Amino acid sequence: MKSLAWVAFSFALAAQGVSAQEFKFNLGVVLDPKHPVTLGMVRMAEVVEKQSGGKLKLEVFPSSQLGAQREMWQNVQAGLIGGIIDPTASLANFVPQFAVLDLPYLVDTPDKAFKLLESPVVEKELTALAAPAGFHVVRYWEITFRNVYSRAPVNSINDLKGRKIRVIPNPTFIALFRGLGAAPTPMAFGELYTALQQGVVDGAENDAITYFSTKHFEVAKNYALTNHLMLINTFVFSEKQWQRLPENLRTIFSKAAAEGSKLTMDDRRARDAKVLDDLRAAGVNVTRPDLKPFFEVGRRTWAESEARLGKDLIGKIAAAARN
């Protein structure tokens, strides 16, 4: 594995290019090389290089090779890494308003989620705020819905009481799991397998494909279908580096991102059709707890979020989600 220092140094050299019209950027992601997101990133890199005639090149570094999540975000912000695909829940640590998209049970299908993300409200109230913070939102890449997985079964909301559940370091995630009676435990994603294996945490939450792809099912063999939050994996680029690109390369970049995103979503749909069967075949206990108490707790956290996010912003996003 290349050291972060060497990768950053290589990026600094490559980003200068051999001429004013040639660029190379490193992209980071915490997910493994075979994850749908990573496969889509590789496709994007192939399309970018071909369509630009080699003037724009991207190198994808999966499995946290460029650092832990927060470290990568900081380096994207500084322009030391070209970009990252990661949840808006992580972007909320730099642009707090994005946390409104993490409200529990905000939408219940990917189609509704994308309709919300493409709305003028999200563009004005959220997307436009990324650039002043040092980020450029290239594309909302894919939508997933999260479920709880754990070392012991979760058959009802009561089974979460006192359980240490790893969550994304995000106040909305923390508030939800505190409301569910658990002990939310923020932790870098790359540390999670070992933490589950050693009992440092009792469980975590993620979509079924990521749970399977990362092999977390090996150390937490219970998967509860709670569907409590949507996660928006988003391709975010360094605003500093985006501004260096000429308009024609930005256009190629955006179109290539659309192709990469499509591959990710197509691959995910194919895997979604059989992932629960794959998990059961691997010895995972899949449970379906009553969602009514989860929904009630989740909606109560909306009111708690008003002090942090503002009642007006929550109202605008909720109204757009209903349309």
Side-chain angles (χ1 to χ4, degrees):
M1 182 182 296
K2 301 178 182 178
S3 71
L4 179 59
W6 171 250
V7 168
F9 176 69
S10 299
F11 169 78
L13 291 179
Q16 295 174 19
V18 297
S19 77
Q21 293 299 309
E22 294 184 11
F23 303 87
K24 180 178 178 181
F25 299 106
N26 295 332
L27 307 180
V29 64
V30 301
L31 300 166
D32 62 273
K34 295 182 180 180
H35 192 280
V37 167
T38 311
L39 297 178
M41 294 173 75
V42 171
R43 170 64 63 83
M44 173 175 64
E46 293 169 348
V47 173
V48 155
E49 184 169 359
K50 180 179 179 180
Q51 295 298 321
S52 70
K55 291 181 179 179
L56 179 57
K57 297 181 181 181
L58 307 174
E59 186 170 1
V60 178
F61 290 83
S63 303
S64 301
Q65 290 183 52
L66 298 186
Q69 279 168 300
R70 187 168 183 85
E71 184 179 9
M72 282 195 284
W73 277 98
Q74 289 170 333
N75 283 329
V76 170
Q77 187 179 43
L80 296 176
I81 294 174
I84 185 173
I85 292 188
D86 209 42
T88 53
S90 296
L91 178 56
N93 290 313
F94 300 88
V95 186
Q97 292 89 337
F98 271 93
V100 72
L101 296 173
D102 303 318
L103 291 172
Y105 301 103
L106 178 63
V107 298
D108 57 5
T109 69
D111 286 346
K112 291 179 183 178
F114 275 117
K115 185 177 179 181
L116 169 63
L117 294 171
E118 292 163 2
S119 70
V121 172
V122 166
E123 172 61 34
K124 178 183 177 181
E125 302 291 340
L126 303 178
T127 310
L129 303 182
F135 304 103
H136 179 82
V137 176
V138 180
R139 187 172 188 85
Y140 293 110
W141 195 265
E142 69 155 359
I143 308 296
T144 67
F145 291 90
R146 297 170 81 83
N147 301 293
V148 174
Y149 56 94
S150 53
R151 289 157 58 93
V154 174
N155 293 299
S156 75
I157 194 172
N158 295 328
D159 291 328
L160 285 173
K161 292 191 183 302
R163 299 267 187 92
K164 292 178 290 183
I165 304 296
R166 180 269 176 183
V167 296
I168 290 175
N170 173 294
T172 306
F173 283 68
I174 292 169
L176 172 62
F177 277 88
R178 187 177 292 127
L180 293 171
T185 306
M187 177 182 294
F189 188 74
E191 300 171 6
L192 182 52
Y193 185 98
T194 301
L196 286 164
Q197 187 177 45
Q198 297 178 351
V200 175
V201 293
D202 301 308
E205 43 91 52
N206 218 316
D207 66 271
I209 290 171
T210 302
Y211 169 61
F212 188 62
S213 177
T214 56
K215 300 188 184 301
H216 287 179
F217 68 88
E218 295 176 344
V219 288
K221 286 193 168 294
N222 298 277
Y223 194 73
L225 301 177
T226 53
N227 214 41
H228 52 273
L229 289 166
M230 75 168 171
L231 190 87
I232 307 165
N233 278 319
T234 303
F235 179 30
V236 178
F237 207 69
S238 165
E239 175 66 14
K240 181 184 297 185
Q241 298 300 339
W242 186 260
Q243 292 303 324
R244 295 179 61 239
L245 291 172
E247 190 62 36
N248 66 315
L249 292 185
R250 291 185 194 179
T251 300
I252 289 171
F253 212 150
S254 297
K255 290 180 178 178
E259 288 200 35
S261 173
K262 182 179 185 303
L263 184 146
T264 291
M265 291 188 289
D266 288 347
D267 187 70
R268 179 175 286 281
R269 275 191 290 270
R271 298 194 203 192
D272 269 337
K274 63 186 187 68
V275 66
L276 293 183
D277 289 337
D278 290 340
L279 288 171
R280 292 187 181 101
V284 172
N285 174 39
V286 179
T287 60
R288 296 179 180 272
D290 179 9
L291 294 188
K292 184 179 179 181
F294 285 86
F295 184 87
E296 290 173 349
V297 169
R299 280 305 177 96
R300 282 202 296 271
T301 67
W302 287 35
E304 297 172 21
S305 297
E306 288 179 1
R308 179 167 45 85
L309 298 172
K311 187 173 183 178
D312 182 60
L313 176 61
I314 291 175
K316 287 178 179 177
I317 296 299
R322 289 193 298 269
N323 290 338

